[in-house]
Amino acid sequence: MVTTSQKLVISGYYGFRNSGDEAVLKSILTALEEESHRSNVTIEPIVLSGDPESTTSMYGVRSVHRMKLKEVREAIKESDGLISGGGSLLQDATGLKSIPYYLGVIKLAQWLKKPTFIYAQGIGPVNRKMFNPMIRSVFKACNYVSVRDEQSAEYLRGLGLQWNQIHVVPDPVMGLPLPEAKAEEVSSVAVNAQGASVHTKLPVIGVSVRFWESDRKELTAIAAGLKKLCSKKSVHLRFMPFHLPIDEQASRFVMEMLGDLGNKGSEVSITKDLTDPQLMLQEVSNCDVVIGMRLHSLIYAASQYVPPVGISYDPKIDQFMLRLDSETVGSTDALDGDKLAKTVANLLDQRSQWLKEHEEGITELKQEAKVPAQQIIKYLGRKG
């Protein structure tokens, strides 16, 4: 069997110190590498990044700056195809620039007559109708389209894509493996608010928060719920900032409201400067329950068979929890601290029952997360 080498440009929100998006990239790279070992295709990735040096250092792959059009064009021109994904790239909730940028990269590849692949994206929200014909035109010209939830598929079907043109698959991060090194070698140091190391045998509650509501009512409710939990149980609250530095600021905002919980037998800590996605995954795997506003904190937890407690600021949170046959504990604009405390306490008490009910489904999702890589390698194998 003759082995062929194929260069693939990978476009996404990479190089911005966001653990969730970095996990998407690592998951895609890992899935492509694993699948290439079972085929006659060797993949040479070229990643479009906001920080090419960091991306190359972290993943050992070639990287070019995502905003330098000449470099992007040259990378695509010399490539054998382009992957766009995953994550929530095509949405206008955070501004008008994201959709034109990511569609523009795909369209550039199509103009250069390169095959284009949509890798487990979450589409939307798309609030401005002017973007619909642009998305329709670009996606209809793609060689493979996969999305991470049924709502994204329904949106694309509404634009005119046929049902058999769209694969609904889990988020790529469901397939992210733990680092190969031993846990004690890779686990980051958890420190308390004063910077002292924390080592505990208490049940560990992972907490991933972000700023969202302008009056911070969601963070106030989370703090109230955590204080209520600590009045009933002695736990270790481990804050895990997923997007640095802003999530660390949000974490410390909540930590300040918690005050000193030592007299109640509980501990509070925060992981420091953790950007490597697999090291963050290791941290999450050491938790007993994870409370998350960040989508990928919940995906990390589920992938490691740790019960996730989702707080919704975006439909993508609700959609992921539904894939686990679960629902969010509340939303950022209507969160009950008492309900949060009760939900976490129940999961701590009934963790084995939760695992019994969800283990098989999670294992299936982890396997299905590899489907896009399999399909892309298959296509390239035929092309080669």
Side-chain angles (χ1 to χ4, degrees), residues 204-207 284-292 297-310 320-321 324 326-327 343-356 358 362:
V204 179
I205 311 300
V207 184
V284 171
S285 74
N286 293 331
C287 295
D288 295 282
V289 174
V290 169
I291 301 167
S297 69
L298 305 171
I299 294 174
Y300 277 34
S303 76
Q304 298 305 305
Y305 304 96
V306 175
V309 178
F320 176 70
M321 295 302 292
L324 298 180
S326 302
E327 59 183 23
T343 300
V344 175
N346 288 341
L347 285 171
L348 286 175
D349 292 338
Q350 303 168 17
R351 196 166 186 270
S352 59
Q353 179 63 30
W354 182 91
L355 185 60
K356 181 179 178 181
H358 292 85
I362 289 173

Side-chain angles (χ1 to χ4, degrees), residues 256-328:
E256 288 179 9
M257 286 191 285
L258 291 175
D260 183 8
L261 298 176
N263 60 345
K264 297 180 180 178
S266 292
E267 295 177 345
V268 182
S269 67
I270 184 169
T271 54
K272 292 287 291 179
D273 299 326
L274 203 54
T275 56
D276 186 300
Q278 286 181 293
L279 300 191
M280 182 64 91
L281 184 67
Q282 182 73 65
E283 287 291 339
V284 171
S285 74
N286 293 331
C287 295
D288 295 282
V289 174
V290 169
I291 301 167
M293 289 178 66
R294 289 284 182 188
L295 172 64
H296 282 101
S297 69
L298 305 171
I299 294 174
Y300 277 34
S303 76
Q304 298 305 305
Y305 304 96
V306 175
V309 178
I311 298 170
S312 178
Y313 72 93
D314 185 283
K316 65 187 179 182
I317 305 292
D318 304 270
Q319 291 158 13
F320 176 70
M321 295 302 292
L322 285 173
R323 294 204 77 164
L324 298 180
D325 294 321
S326 302
E327 59 183 23
T328 59

Side-chain angles (χ1 to χ4, degrees), residues 135-347:
I135 295 172
R136 179 193 304 115
S137 172
V138 170
F139 270 53
K140 281 194 169 185
C142 286
N143 300 84
Y144 173 75
V145 175
S146 59
V147 293
R148 70 184 180 194
D149 53 68
E150 187 60 39
Q151 290 77 6
S152 296
E154 284 297 324
Y155 169 76
L156 293 178
R157 290 175 193 136
L159 295 185
L161 273 75
Q162 300 300 311
W163 68 270
N164 58 352
Q165 292 179 283
I166 309 164
H167 277 184
V168 180
V169 298
D171 188 284
V173 178
M174 283 300 297
L176 182 66
L178 287 168
E180 294 180 0
K182 293 180 181 179
E184 59 267 24
E185 294 174 343
V186 300
S187 183
S188 72
V189 176
V191 298
N192 60 22
Q194 289 72 44
S197 297
V198 173
H199 303 280
T200 180
K201 293 183 179 180
L202 294 171
V204 179
I205 311 300
V207 184
S208 166
V209 294
R210 62 170 298 168
F211 291 124
W212 190 254
E213 301 292 338
S214 59
D215 61 0
R216 311 298 187 225
K217 64 180 179 181
E218 79 285 19
L219 299 184
T220 301
I222 290 171
L226 294 177
K227 290 181 77 169
K228 183 68 174 286
L229 174 67
C230 292
S231 72
K232 304 292 184 181
K233 290 179 175 290
S234 294
V235 297
H236 176 189
L237 302 176
R238 181 173 293 176
F239 284 80
M240 298 176 173
F242 266 66
H243 193 174
L244 296 172
I246 191 68
D247 284 7
E248 181 173 348
Q249 297 169 16
S251 296
R252 293 194 179 279
F253 181 89
V254 177
M255 292 169 71
E256 288 179 9
M257 286 191 285
L258 291 175
D260 183 8
L261 298 176
N263 60 345
K264 297 180 180 178
S266 292
E267 295 177 345
V268 182
S269 67
I270 184 169
T271 54
K272 292 287 291 179
D273 299 326
L274 203 54
T275 56
D276 186 300
Q278 286 181 293
L279 300 191
M280 182 64 91
L281 184 67
Q282 182 73 65
E283 287 291 339
V284 171
S285 74
N286 293 331
C287 295
D288 295 282
V289 174
V290 169
I291 301 167
M293 289 178 66
R294 289 284 182 188
L295 172 64
H296 282 101
S297 69
L298 305 171
I299 294 174
Y300 277 34
S303 76
Q304 298 305 305
Y305 304 96
V306 175
V309 178
I311 298 170
S312 178
Y313 72 93
D314 185 283
K316 65 187 179 182
I317 305 292
D318 304 270
Q319 291 158 13
F320 176 70
M321 295 302 292
L322 285 173
R323 294 204 77 164
L324 298 180
D325 294 321
S326 302
E327 59 183 23
T328 59
V329 71
S331 63
T332 53
D333 62 352
L335 180 62
D336 185 322
D338 287 346
K339 183 180 179 181
L340 175 63
K342 184 177 180 180
T343 300
V344 175
N346 288 341
L347 285 171

Side-chain angles (χ1 to χ4, degrees), residues 92-106:
D92 59 4
T94 58
L96 293 173
K97 296 180 180 180
S98 290
I99 292 177
Y101 170 79
Y102 291 110
L103 288 181
V105 172
I106 302 169

